[in-house]
Amino acid sequence: MSDSSNGPKVSSPAANALIYVTLVCFLVLGIASGWRSHRNTGLFLKAIRSQSVLSLTLNFLAVNIGSGIFFSLPQVGTIAGITGVFAYAFASGAPLFIFAVLGPLFRKHNSKQWSMTAFIMERYGRPLHILYSLVCTLFVGMYLVSELTTIYSVYELLTPLNPLAPMIILCVVTTIYTAFGGVFASLMTDAIQCVLILVLLIVAAVVVGISVRPSKEDIDQVGLVKPTKMGGELFVILTLAIGFSVMYHQGFWQRTFASRNDRDLRWATFFGFWLVFIVAALVGMAGPLAAWAGTWSPDSGIPGSSAFFTLIASMDGWVSGLTVVLSTSLSCCAIDTCQSAMFASLYDMVEQKVNIWVVRAVVVVMNVPIIFLALRAPDILQVYLLADLLACATILPVLFGLIKRLNFLHWTDALVGCFGGIIAVGVFGQAYLGNAHDGWRLLLLEGGLYVEDERVLGAFCVAPLGSVVFTFFFAGLRMVVTRLLGRQQYSYINNIAESSDDDEPTTLEKERVSEKPPVTTASLSY
């Protein structure tokens, strides 16, 4: 699945001890965190208004990172240089500010809001609700495939173990404590895991800074310092791609609605942005640093995605061991978030009318094909690009439902807008490339992200614009036809009672009021 390096590896006994002790600690932590939520449906599903600024900040870091950052970020650095690294780091953290804006809007629409799918059901109805839930589940499934693929590669690169066994056990561990404690367990474990991750990253950064000191001549010879055209384009492409795609990740929405109030949410997104930016920039700089130090070069036959590990291989064996623990912690953060997000999407899709244990079982079973796909080593970047382009083309029509002045929009308008965004990319491709065959194949992004021309940049800019144009064009056409037929025009009316941000009790406060576990029916109300 990956290229191995010739540097020192962790021995089998040491690798087993590091991986499984880490997993056992996280399992105990997850069960302990979920002890108060496994019988409380409100905490299990929503954990609304339960997290402080500090906890939420760490959780925003957790939902943004995984072991995959050791592959994707350094690769950008080897291709687009320092500019590319900072573009990726900025694009990774900037979408958090979207939630700082949208979170209060959702709460204004419904003070008990707890997921994007719940909002879509209220605003647009069942058809778009099912479609969005399916897309959310697909997106989170791709995140899981990516994370399992990368942790497999990490174990393969740094240890002599068969990576399959620890990868499966890691997946089982996170499945156990998320199925037991739900969203609340994921929030608590992620916060504590991120503290450990930050400590390990600081240690690793200090060690690399002391051990690797390339000369000015090496840096000048290799380059990767000056701003590049591709690096500038990545600021736009990646910000659009990641910003729109996270709208389909329930893990972000769960953390948004878990904030105690809007002020805490704004501060958490601010601090979270800087945490994500700093962590991403530090890891991404491993790419240029490996090139300057000579552990990686374009003609070495080693892909740029392995640049970080060539750097680690040049150091003492204990650094590899530290990386194994760090990667395991990162994967636990990413995987438990994805599993709780997948559960929320599926439970919403069936309108919470199916027994909660049935949905838990479905999530467990879905891990089997996900592990199988991870073993097939798909081109994760290609899959992500396609998913991101789909998100760019489809999410804006849905978000228009938050604007009161656009209450005339019907679910059919939003649906046509989604398809219109996709069509707009094909039309742009045909105009830009000069022929229909290559133009419409731009939807597949076969050339990947790093191309010489502006086709990818154009696709990610045209997709959201096309969705907006098609949405309002179809809405206008529908309204004209409705008027000609003499029928009443559609207008959405929000009949859901609103409460102020300060008056709404938190999930934990509700728990303290009653000595009994909350009644399931009340807990599941929107």
Side-chain angles (χ1 to χ4, degrees), residues 423-495:
I423 294 171
V425 175
V427 173
F428 163 78
Q430 182 173 347
Y432 184 81
L433 299 175
N435 64 87
H437 180 267
D438 292 336
W440 286 89
R441 289 184 72 84
L442 180 59
L443 287 166
L444 302 177
L445 295 174
E446 291 178 324
L449 180 61
Y450 309 111
V451 294
E452 297 297 328
D453 57 24
E454 283 76 33
R455 69 181 71 180
V456 177
L457 175 64
F460 277 97
C461 290
V462 166
L465 291 176
S467 67
V468 173
V469 171
F470 272 81
T471 297
F472 288 105
F473 175 79
F474 186 81
L477 181 63
R478 176 185 55 79
M479 292 170 72
V480 169
V481 173
T482 301
R483 183 163 189 168
L484 290 175
L485 293 176
R487 297 179 180 177
Q488 185 178 359
Q489 296 287 355
Y490 170 81
S491 180
Y492 170 74
I493 300 175
N494 182 8
N495 293 318

Side-chain angles (χ1 to χ4, degrees), residues 5 30 126 186 352 451 465 502:
S5 57
R126 188 67 171 148
S186 177
Q352 305 175 16
V451 294
L465 291 176
D502 295 329

Side-chain angles (χ1 to χ4, degrees), residues 317-368:
W318 71 268
V319 181
S320 296
L322 179 70
T323 307
V324 169
V325 176
L326 180 57
S327 299
T328 303
S329 304
L330 285 166
S331 285
C332 281
C333 275
I335 292 172
D336 69 26
T337 299
C338 288
Q339 287 173 335
S340 59
M342 182 178 290
F343 174 88
S345 297
L346 291 173
Y347 200 51
D348 259 354
M349 187 168 63
V350 297
E351 298 185 86
Q352 305 175 16
K353 293 179 180 178
V354 177
N355 187 284
I356 195 171
W357 283 102
V358 174
V359 182
R360 285 174 175 174
V362 170
V363 172
V364 172
V365 172
M366 288 181 68
N367 281 280
V368 176

Side-chain angles (χ1 to χ4, degrees), residues 241-456:
I242 298 175
F244 283 113
S245 65
V246 295
M247 299 290 104
Y248 283 101
H249 195 320
Q250 284 278 29
F252 284 90
W253 293 113
Q254 288 170 337
R255 280 146 184 78
T256 298
F257 299 127
S259 60
R260 288 181 178 172
N261 51 57
D262 295 342
R263 182 187 299 174
D264 283 3
L265 175 61
R266 286 190 287 269
W267 279 114
T269 54
F270 175 78
F271 293 130
F273 165 79
W274 285 109
L275 265 184
V276 172
F277 181 85
I278 293 170
V279 169
L282 282 175
V283 175
M285 282 303 298
L289 195 58
W292 298 333
T295 62
W296 176 89
S297 64
D299 56 357
S300 63
I302 301 174
S305 58
S306 297
F308 173 84
F309 296 96
T310 65
L311 204 61
I312 295 299
S314 67
M315 302 179 188
D316 295 336
W318 71 268
V319 181
S320 296
L322 179 70
T323 307
V324 169
V325 176
L326 180 57
S327 299
T328 303
S329 304
L330 285 166
S331 285
C332 281
C333 275
I335 292 172
D336 69 26
T337 299
C338 288
Q339 287 173 335
S340 59
M342 182 178 290
F343 174 88
S345 297
L346 291 173
Y347 200 51
D348 259 354
M349 187 168 63
V350 297
E351 298 185 86
Q352 305 175 16
K353 293 179 180 178
V354 177
N355 187 284
I356 195 171
W357 283 102
V358 174
V359 182
R360 285 174 175 174
V362 170
V363 172
V364 172
V365 172
M366 288 181 68
N367 281 280
V368 176
I370 287 172
I371 291 174
F372 175 77
L373 289 174
L375 293 176
R376 299 293 296 268
D379 185 345
I380 295 301
L381 180 59
Q382 183 72 14
V383 174
Y384 267 141
L385 281 175
L386 293 175
D388 292 344
L389 186 60
L390 176 64
C392 284
T394 58
I395 195 63
L396 279 182
V398 175
L399 294 179
F400 285 152
L402 285 170
I403 304 174
K404 288 185 177 181
R405 292 184 178 181
L406 301 181
N407 280 348
F408 61 85
L409 289 178
H410 190 259
W411 72 266
T412 53
D413 305 331
L415 186 61
V416 170
C418 293
F419 284 107
I422 297 172
I423 294 171
V425 175
V427 173
F428 163 78
Q430 182 173 347
Y432 184 81
L433 299 175
N435 64 87
H437 180 267
D438 292 336
W440 286 89
R441 289 184 72 84
L442 180 59
L443 287 166
L444 302 177
L445 295 174
E446 291 178 324
L449 180 61
Y450 309 111
V451 294
E452 297 297 328
D453 57 24
E454 283 76 33
R455 69 181 71 180
V456 177

Side-chain angles (χ1 to χ4, degrees), residues 150-171:
T150 51
I151 194 60
Y152 185 104
S153 298
V154 170
Y155 291 153
E156 188 176 45
L157 282 167
L158 298 180
T159 75
L161 303 175
N162 180 353
L164 180 60
M167 182 189 75
I168 292 176
I169 294 174
L170 187 152
C171 200

Side-chain angles (χ1 to χ4, degrees), residues 67-141:
S67 60
I69 64 174
F70 293 135
F71 293 88
S72 57
L73 286 164
Q75 182 182 26
V76 172
T78 61
I79 297 172
I82 293 178
T83 310
V85 171
F86 282 97
Y88 207 145
F90 173 81
S92 297
L96 292 179
F97 293 120
I98 299 176
F99 294 96
V101 175
L102 293 182
L105 289 178
F106 276 112
R107 281 178 170 161
K108 187 176 181 181
H109 175 86
N110 179 356
S111 60
K112 298 179 182 178
Q113 196 69 56
W114 68 285
S115 74
M116 180 72 160
T117 47
F119 160 74
I120 293 175
M121 182 64 183
E122 295 164 1
R123 174 61 179 84
Y124 290 111
R126 188 67 171 148
L128 212 59
H129 173 252
I130 294 176
L131 180 62
Y132 181 84
S133 297
L134 287 173
V135 174
C136 279
T137 304
L138 177 63
F139 263 72
V140 173

Side-chain angles (χ1 to χ4, degrees), residues 48-67:
I48 294 179
R49 302 176 186 269
S50 64
Q51 302 299 303
S52 64
V53 173
L54 177 60
S55 175
L56 203 59
T57 298
L58 294 171
N59 267 278
F60 277 134
L61 173 63
V63 78
N64 266 288
I65 60 176
S67 60

